[in-house]
Amino acid sequence: MLNSLGREIPEYIEGIGKLEPFQGALTKLSKGWMDEPTIPAPNKAYLPHQSKLCNSLEEAILRSNPHNGMTVSFHHHLRNGDILLVQTLTILHNMGIRDITLASSSLNECHDPILPYLEDGTVTRIYSSGIRSQLGRAIALGVLDIPVVIHSHGGRVRSIHTGKIQIDLTVIAASAADCEGNATGSHGKSAFGSIGYAVIDARYAKQVIVVTDNLVNFPCIPLSISQNFVDQVVVVDSIGDASKIATGTTRITNSPMDLRIAKLAADVIEHSGFFEPGFAFQVGAGGASLAVAKFIREKMKTKAIKGSFMLGGITSYCVDMLNDGLFETIFDVQSFDATVSNSLLNNRRHIEIPAALYANPFNCGCITNKIDVVVLGALEIDVDFNVNVITGSEGNVRGASGGHSDTASGANLTVVVCPSFRGRIPIIKKRVHTIVTPGESIHVLVTERGICVNPAFPELEANLKRAGLNIKDIHDLEIEVDKITGIPAPLEYTDKIVGIVEYRDGTIIDVIHQLKEK
């Protein structure tokens, strides 16, 4: 069957079940209620003064009823500095546990060591917002029999609420915790900031293990994770390396190209009609995206504009803008560098939020619904403004859905920033390899060669032309770039589906086919 974007979606996939095709960014949500059930969280009981402390992660896992076919979840706030996911799966592998469903909020290069566990049947299914590096290459080549499911951050919460993902065990890294499992990421030697993605896991997992390298006296404050959900507490020498959070797409750029694009994007925002007192703002992952905050900060000071709130992945730029009095509040579901932790701990206007409040579409209003302006990156964008942030030009799975479609669906102005080509590979396509965010949610594309406005928003285009910005038709820009780079040979795929891309409402916006190995 075809979804509304013309992508062929199977009606059923073995191991996944029946699929519902994407019909539009807000079509399903516009009913006002959802037919999917909300599953109950598990009931548990602990006796007075019963100890939760375990001598090792292995002991805690043994107490957690490990079994074949279990689902194990993790959060990715330490990003490339995480070590607990690999340690946990290695322990389960050594115990002989097989057929594991891995439900990590994202997977990074540091998780490549689990690749042998995908090859030997220890891990047979994956749900995640992002997959990169060797894992992404192996998945593109078909290492798993059952397709991976790519979801957004808000979609992950929906999947857990509705029982699509039923977590048997979650392992939560905390930079500080007490003996009962009250835990935070906001202080301690490994402080990483917000722990917002793990809150839903703690609420719904049958077994919850908090792992910390900083056991503090009871009570650990703030209670980002609270003790009433925690089964076991483990103290280790290290939970990971917080200095590796700000790597890859979360590193603030010094690239002249990225900075030029960021400056142009800030000009677009300034003249869009949404750069007004009280506006709400988010920048997504990616060098140019994050750098836009630097230029917006300068413009807000010049024009004496004070915004309402900043949201999402929070950088030191965001904290500086809060401290400058340029925004009233920060809502932080994920901190993009470890230096943000001090602000999260000490500034009451820097508020840690769970992923459900951030972006879950199945509730009475997530905060992404209130964004005025969001700036996002792209691996590819097509002439219909559909965006790919999950598969690369070589066909590998190498990116993340993250909050891309969540924020784009809610924002009054969604600005996509990217170079027109990378390594002589054009970024603007007639058809992207994989759609993650539909073009109807994208207002503007900003590249170093010009700015393209989605024709669905003529008033915005008129505003930007009046400001003298270099506006181009996206079809013309695509042709211009193709003349520079040439048109790459098409990738070759098999009929096997190795990944499905869920839109935030649970419908399927695209599938990923197995890449033919050359």
Side-chain angles (χ1 to χ4, degrees):
M1 56 185 171
L2 293 178
N3 67 18
S4 65
L5 298 176
R7 299 290 171 131
E8 182 71 37
I9 308 295
E11 294 184 5
Y12 180 88
I13 293 180
E14 191 67 36
I16 299 291
K18 189 176 178 182
L19 303 183
E20 181 181 359
F22 173 81
Q23 293 299 321
L26 300 176
T27 302
K28 183 172 179 178
L29 301 180
S30 63
K31 285 195 306 182
W33 75 92
M34 294 293 105
D35 296 325
E36 290 86 344
T38 299
I39 64 163
N43 289 319
K44 304 177 182 180
Y46 264 67
L47 300 177
H49 306 292
Q50 180 179 347
S51 175
K52 297 180 180 180
L53 287 170
C54 297
N55 292 318
S56 66
L57 180 57
E58 184 171 9
E59 179 186 329
I61 292 172
L62 275 172
R63 288 188 188 183
S64 302
N65 186 31
H67 57 275
N68 292 338
M70 68 188 303
T71 296
V72 187
S73 81
F74 303 87
H75 65 105
H76 72 290
H77 293 92
L78 279 159
R79 298 187 71 92
N80 250 336
D82 173 63
I83 60 174
L84 293 183
L85 186 150
V86 174
Q87 288 183 6
T88 299
L89 289 181
T90 299
I91 290 168
L92 289 167
H93 169 80
N94 293 340
M95 289 178 176
I97 305 299
R98 298 178 61 80
D99 194 21
I100 292 170
T101 296
L102 171 59
S104 178
S105 53
S106 199
L107 294 166
N108 292 293
E109 183 179 355
C110 63
H111 302 127
D112 280 347
I114 70 167
L115 179 54
Y117 306 147
L118 275 62
E119 296 167 338
D120 71 5
T122 302
V123 174
T124 54
R125 303 174 194 224
I126 294 178
Y127 288 82
S128 188
S129 77
I131 304 173
R132 303 171 176 86
S133 194
Q134 293 178 33
L135 283 177
R137 173 70 176 170
I139 286 165
L141 293 174
V143 68
L144 295 178
D145 292 332
I146 299 173
V148 300
V149 178
I150 303 296
H151 49 59
S152 70
H153 289 323
R156 181 173 192 268
V157 179
R158 168 195 45 77
S159 288
I160 295 172
H161 267 300
T162 58
K164 200 166 191 177
I165 300 174
Q166 298 191 29
I167 302 169
D168 294 294
L169 168 65
T170 189
V171 178
I172 298 174
S175 63
D178 62 35
C179 60
E180 293 295 329
N182 299 303
T184 182
S186 64
H187 57 90
K189 66 178 182 180
S190 303
F192 52 81
S194 175
I195 201 169
Y197 295 135
V199 174
I200 186 68
D201 302 57
R203 181 72 183 86
Y204 273 92
K206 292 174 184 171
Q207 293 287 324
V208 178
I209 298 175
V210 164
V211 182
T212 187
D213 51 12
N214 180 31
L215 187 70
V216 299
N217 291 334
F218 180 90
C220 175
I221 299 172
L223 280 67
S224 305
I225 302 292
S226 60
Q227 67 184 61
N228 50 317
F229 300 124
V230 179
D231 296 271
Q232 324 286 349
V233 178
V234 181
V235 183
V236 295
D237 292 335
S238 172
I239 59 168
D241 184 353
S243 70
K244 293 183 178 179
I245 297 172
T247 56
T249 57
T250 59
R251 182 191 294 123
I252 294 175
T253 184
N254 291 316
S255 158
M257 171 78 78
D258 285 346
L259 292 173
R260 171 171 161 70
I261 295 170
K263 171 69 169 58
L264 287 172
D267 291 342
V268 166
I269 294 167
E270 179 183 8
H271 299 289
S272 65
F274 297 103
F275 189 61
E276 297 178 336
F279 85 111
F281 184 50
Q282 176 168 346
V283 287
S289 307
L290 295 175
V292 174
K294 165 185 165 63
F295 296 103
I296 287 296
R297 180 186 184 189
E298 293 168 1
K299 290 180 183 296
M300 293 178 75
K301 285 185 173 180
T302 300
K303 294 199 167 188
I305 286 179
K306 183 170 185 175
S308 172
F309 66 87
M310 297 191 75
L311 177 64
I314 300 302
T315 66
S316 54
Y317 275 141
C318 303
V319 170
D320 289 344
M321 293 167 84
L322 179 67
N323 292 336
D324 288 345
L326 297 176
F327 283 94
E328 293 280 355
T329 305
I330 287 176
F331 292 114
D332 189 344
V333 70
Q334 179 183 12
S335 307
F336 276 172
D337 63 59
T339 60
V340 170
S341 301
N342 188 53
S343 171
L344 184 69
L345 180 63
N346 294 303
N347 189 337
R348 68 184 180 86
R349 292 196 171 277
H350 186 160
I351 302 167
E352 183 175 20
I353 59 169
L357 178 57
Y358 171 57
N360 178 17
F362 281 18
N363 61 29
C364 291
C366 52
I367 295 182
T368 54
N369 285 353
K370 291 187 68 64
I371 298 175
D372 290 302
V373 179
V374 64
V375 184
L376 301 168
L379 291 173
E380 297 177 324
I381 183 168
D382 68 25
V383 292
D384 294 320
F385 289 84
N386 298 306
V387 176
N388 171 20
V389 284
I390 193 69
T391 52
S393 58
E394 73 294 340
N396 294 338
V397 180
R398 51 166 298 187
S401 171
H404 204 282
S405 64
D406 296 318
T407 53
S409 74
N412 287 321
L413 175 68
T414 301
V415 181
V416 168
V417 292
C418 60
S420 59
F421 60 90
R422 296 186 179 99
R424 300 199 67 79
I425 301 294
I427 303 304
I428 305 164
K429 310 276 190 178
K430 286 188 171 55
R431 175 186 167 96
V432 292
H433 287 104
T434 312
I435 300 175
V436 173
T437 299
E440 66 181 285
S441 299
I442 307 299
H443 297 77
V444 187
L445 166 68
V446 179
T447 76
E448 81 286 3
R449 293 183 176 278
I451 297 161
C452 304
V453 181
N454 188 327
F457 308 103
E459 185 176 342
L460 174 63
E461 181 170 344
N463 288 344
L464 301 184
K465 283 183 173 176
R466 274 195 296 272
L469 297 181
N470 179 22
I471 307 299
K472 293 184 176 180
D473 185 289
I474 194 168
H475 297 85
D476 295 338
L477 185 55
E478 187 255 343
I479 293 169
E480 176 184 329
V481 174
D482 280 352
K483 287 179 179 175
I484 298 170
T485 63
I487 300 175
L491 299 173
E492 295 185 33
Y493 299 95
T494 74
D495 291 335
K496 178 181 177 180
I497 294 174
V498 298
I500 65 172
V501 182
E502 278 189 352
Y503 190 62
R504 59 196 304 264
D505 62 7
T507 60
I508 307 305
I509 195 166
D510 212 341
V511 297
I512 303 169
H513 283 270
Q514 181 186 32
L515 186 66
K516 282 187 179 177
E517 192 166 16
K518 295 181 180 177

